[in-house]
Amino acid sequence: MPDSEYRDVRSLDLFAPLAEETFTSLMRGAYVQNFPAQIELIHEGDPSDFLHIVISGSVDLFSSWNGRDTSLSTVRPNSTFILAATIKDAPYLMSARTLEKSRIALIPSRDVRATFDVDGGFARAIVTELAQSYRSVVKAQKDLKLRTSLERLANYLLGQQRHAGGGAVFELEFEKRRLASVLGMTPENLSRAFRGLQPYGVIVTGTRVTIDSQPDLERFAAPDPLIDDPST
Amino acid sequence: MPDSEYRDVRSLDLFAPLAEETFTSLMRGAYVQNFPAQIELIHEGDPSDFLHIVISGSVDLFSSWNGRDTSLSTVRPNSTFILAATIKDAPYLMSARTLEKSRIALIPSRDVRATFDVDGGFARAIVTELAQSYRSVVKAQKDLKLRTSLERLANYLLGQQRHAGGGAVFELEFEKRRLASVLGMTPENLSRAFRGLQPYGVIVTGTRVTIDSQPDLERFAAPDPLIDDPST
DNA sequence: CGCAGCCTTGACAAATGTCAACAAACGTGG
DNA sequence: CCACGTTTGTTGACATTTGTCAAGGCTGCG
């Protein structure tokens, strides 16, 4: 693993508490691999052999049932995924595929569990990470159960806007068909939802979004920190 | 705290790894309280001052937004709730109310965090608990995004049946209006969903459910361990 | 240029929610 | 133990939301 990537991984909150020696030994069994876009890295139901870390690119976590499928979340650089499965030594609940060319580090789950068993600091770091993940999913659950698709889209746009710096104009970060799936609707419905937000000053052309009337949109969206604020 | 309850709490997986002394000291700041039915124990957004443990009775975790509300889960005896908020020292994401007369133990969050910081075994137990919770919510999310309400109900009934011992006849464990909310639908819709399952051999009278044709229902429900199996 | 994939639109169907009425079940106080 | 009132559950009629199918436009790339 190149030195710069080693440092990237080392700098993750998850590994911060590890002694240099412990970290090095954990990394000994690890390897890094490049994947092209649209490669299925893991398939739900498979045993969780590796903890994955996205070094560059991005990964889609999704799930299928009975011919349908849905995107559950996106993993971006310098985050891990499927930590819970690794810890519990249980099968993956979600599949993962690269959205673009990506570089992924793989650490044998066995090693992660072994380190976790002996290193209290590591265990505490994992707790923090898991608590964060748990709260994210709970928020997604609330979003889905308490809001219509139009409301979800409105709040998503506000979140994206903030993420992009708060200006009136910003870009959608991914394909609309995937955005639709993330928001729990069909692509057709998303198209109509964008039109449905026009009365609140939302203009979409291609991947570019303009929010003409911030107050109108916010009044309609009624964002709630306990659903929409990623940090709390 | 009466001795039998002390032992109940002591026997939780979460506290198993604690040395007797550590556990006792953690319990020193704790207290136990009886609540009547329908009391709101915590309100979403409040700071998480206590880790709660249900000793007897049951507790509904729910959430509200913009005049709507939804039940997210039920906590039964000898489980904790809002562990993630306690650990992160973040506001509750869900409100909690007693469903019936209940006995609840409260441990100051500060003490939990302090113990967690110094006791690696406790940290590991918390990880296991959180990983479990995380996976439960992910399953709920998949259930919600991949299935229609009729399919959710069918799978819920199969789960209840198994939970009740697997016989063809069993009882619903809670009010239909609440079941509707848990399943993400209105009470009216649930009524119709029950009728909608009649063709698959489901008969409901009051709170009693009879599954006449197990194979038909299972074929329709298409249960999936990665969504419906609480243990994986 | 031409193909393939994504996005949009329209027409329609299915699923779900709302409102209103009523029936059934439940709990309380007499 | 009964009567009463409140809550819960059911049903019908209807509105809204969401999904499905089919067609066509746009875009990017070989």
Side-chain angles (χ1 to χ4, degrees), chain A residues 135-143 146-147 222-232, chain B residues 43-47 62-65 72 90-95:
Chain A
R135 287 170 65 90
S136 295
V137 194
V138 168
K139 286 177 208 162
Q141 187 80 343
K142 288 168 63 175
D143 192 39
L146 290 168
R147 290 173 170 162
D224 178 337
L226 299 178
I227 302 180
D228 304 294
D229 199 331
S231 64
T232 63
Chain B
H43 187 79
E44 50 185 322
D46 286 353
F62 66 102
S63 182
S64 313
W65 178 79
L72 294 162
Y92 300 134
L93 290 180
M94 302 181 268
S95 303

Side-chain angles (χ1 to χ4, degrees), chain B:
Chain B
M1 189 186 313
D3 206 54
S4 71
E5 289 176 355
Y6 183 92
R7 281 200 307 275
D8 284 346
V9 175
R10 181 71 176 115
S11 73
L12 294 181
D13 286 346
L14 192 61
F15 299 120
L18 289 180
E20 195 58 38
E21 185 191 319
T22 317
F23 178 71
T24 309
S25 112
L26 186 57
M27 283 301 121
R28 229 187 304 280
Y31 61 101
V32 176
Q33 214 172 330
N34 285 313
F35 297 94
Q38 306 301 339
I39 291 296
E40 185 161 324
L41 300 171
I42 63 183
H43 187 79
E44 50 185 322
D46 286 353
S48 54
D49 295 327
F50 297 95
L51 176 64
H52 294 233
I53 303 170
V54 180
I55 293 175
S56 71
S58 54
V59 171
D60 180 34
L61 300 184
F62 66 102
S63 182
S64 313
W65 178 79
N66 232 352
R68 287 163 236 170
D69 62 272
T70 187
S71 279
L72 294 162
S73 71
T74 308
V75 191
R76 307 196 160 285
N78 298 328
S79 319
T80 63
F81 59 97
I82 51 149
L83 180 56
T86 289
I87 292 300
K88 289 211 66 183
D89 196 8
Y92 300 134
L93 290 180
M94 302 181 268
S95 303
R97 75 184 141 218
T98 53
L99 287 169
E100 55 193 306
K101 195 165 161 310
S102 301
R103 200 160 163 76
I104 313 283
L106 301 133
I107 307 180
S109 294
R110 180 191 320 274
D111 298 349
V112 175
R113 285 192 295 271
T115 306
F116 156 79
D117 281 338
V118 298
D119 190 318
F122 188 44
R124 286 191 289 279
I126 289 178
V127 164
T128 306
E129 185 106 351
L130 278 179
Q132 178 64 47
S133 304
Y134 172 75
R135 288 171 64 90
S136 296
V137 194
V138 169
K139 286 177 206 161
Q141 189 76 344
K142 290 168 63 175
D143 192 39
L144 213 53
K145 289 187 81 174
L146 290 168
R147 291 172 169 162
T148 66
S149 59
L150 201 60
E151 291 163 344
R152 290 200 294 279
L153 176 60
N155 280 291
Y156 174 83
L157 291 179
L158 289 174
Q160 268 311 108
Q161 181 192 32
R162 185 171 52 171
H163 185 71
V169 181
F170 60 94
E171 301 280 325
L172 292 173
E173 64 180 342
F174 35 65
E175 269 191 318
K176 286 181 185 169
R177 61 168 34 251
R178 210 174 93 74
L179 175 56
S181 182
V182 168
L183 293 175
M185 53 179 136
T186 58
E188 294 94 326
N189 223 325
L190 178 61
S191 266
R192 292 175 182 123
F194 274 126
R195 275 195 319 186
L197 288 180
Q198 256 171 238
Y200 305 101
V202 174
I203 299 159
V204 182
T205 37
T207 170
R208 165 172 265 96
V209 179
T210 308
I211 294 181
D212 252 4
S213 165
Q214 191 79 18
D216 282 355
L217 184 59
E218 294 200 336
R219 202 169 318 115
F220 171 74
D224 178 336
L226 299 178
I227 302 179
D228 305 293
D229 198 330
S231 64
T232 63

